[in-house]
Amino acid sequence: MDLVTACLDRADAFDKNLKAFLHRCPDRALSVARRVDDLRAKGERPGALAGVPMGLKDLLVVEGMPTTCGSRLIEDFVPPYDAAAFEALSRSGAVLVGKCNLDEFGMGSSGEHSAFGASLNPWDPSRVPGGSSSGSAVAVAAGFATFAIGTDTGGSVRQPAAFCGLVGLKPSWGRLSRYGMVAYAPSMDCVGILAHELRDAALVLTELAGPDPRDATCRRERMPDVLGALEDGVADMRLGVAEDWMDAGLDAEMEQAISAALRRFSSAGARLRPVKLGLNAELLDAFALLAAVEAASNLARFDGLHYGRIRSGVGGMGALRQSARGEGFGPGVLRRIKLGTDALSAGTGRAGYERALAERARVRHVFEKVFAEVDAIIAPVCEGPAFGLGERLASPSEMIGSDRFTMQASLAGLPALSMPCGFSSSGLPLGLQIIARPFDEAGLLRVARALEARQDFHLRRPPLDDLFAGGGA
Ligand code: GLN
């Protein structure tokens, strides 16, 4: 109860500045927390996450609570059921504090594509928190929740985690049920976790994992004991260092922070060796195209008739549909729908789509070869710390360029995480990425923990009281 109250108070004081939440539910949170306390008082065990405050990206549905997906088009939608992730976490006793802001339908890398206003980075409010799980990252970094659920299609959990100084875990594609998560590009979409510490992320992952017949892509097998393996160390492990990514124009401070992390891995007994993953503009284009093709077909249902509000105009169904979508969707979403629809049209589009599929097969093959030699890969998440608000808004290609080190694991369905590895001289968090073999979340977390145990960046918190004197007046 006390923890929930503390988070609610903090959100009351600071969320008007940071805009982590689109919808807060303090009454509901307090009543769930009270129930947990009552169970404890009766000597019952209320679950592994009992009383732990959480945020949920507003791309996952909760019965009776608005789910906007960051879009005007469905701002009035109140779903009649719970997402599998929310169901599982509620069963474990976690307490929902609110639905988190995001780039519209998960499309973006900065949080600035939310129709309800951008979330701000709590380390420096003139910067973006990253996206698309912007509000989820801000909620955790600012202390409004202990952990949050995001979604990651090309980097949307890992990149905001890096920009906000958190752990951001994208499990293997198919590891967690996506029932009740609004789809962007289902062949890459994953439910992901944002937390301060790896142990928390591992615990939440454990509570989330399990078969779900309502999502045909959700893995049936049991997940390995990620918590039990967490402290096993890396003494026997071979770690590949993504050399060509390290040479791809990183900020000097980012390069130094990753080099320092590599030294820590070495002193923990890991054997490091350079690997080449390849880095080319075609792959980023392929990712953008495949995501857009899937988005175009998924978003077809938001037509103002089945889902979404008719905003203006009367006339035939075609006109209604056009006005709902034209006025309801933001420019980033409309751009992707157009790109995806063109790519599936007869004629020239088709060849581009097939080239993109071939690129995807190629990147999978590269990872297969590399993972024959090493147990995990160490790489950057981004070339530098969080960028400034508005800096990349004018250029969609620069914006999606933020995914240039994260979309490969998404295309290949691999588990990957980002974690703090330092701070810039201006006090901004810097993130490091680790990528592992398919379904080896245990190995992934174990490698990450070996580093976390040798540094203390995860203990730092943004100076909100200094930034917003007087509780954010
Ligand atoms: N930034 C990428 C995009 O805009 C991926 C976002 C995500 O992972 N959901 O498409």
Side-chain angles (χ1 to χ4, degrees), residues 57 59 103 105-110 131-133 151-159 184 189 287-288 291 336 399-400 402-403 406-407 410:
K57 186 177 187 176
L59 203 58
D103 284 300
F105 287 102
M107 300 176 186
S109 305
S110 68
S132 65
S133 307
T151 67
D152 190 314
T153 305
S156 277
V157 161
R158 287 163 285 160
Q159 185 250 28
Y184 166 9
D189 289 344
F287 162 73
R336 282 172 178 80
M399 188 63 93
I400 209 156
S402 319
D403 302 327
T406 48
M407 48 86 195
S410 300

Side-chain angles (χ1 to χ4, degrees), residues 455-473:
Q455 59 183 27
D456 59 8
F457 303 119
H458 59 288
L459 301 177
R460 296 201 202 169
R461 298 290 181 265
L464 292 190
D465 291 306
D466 300 340
L467 287 170
F468 307 109

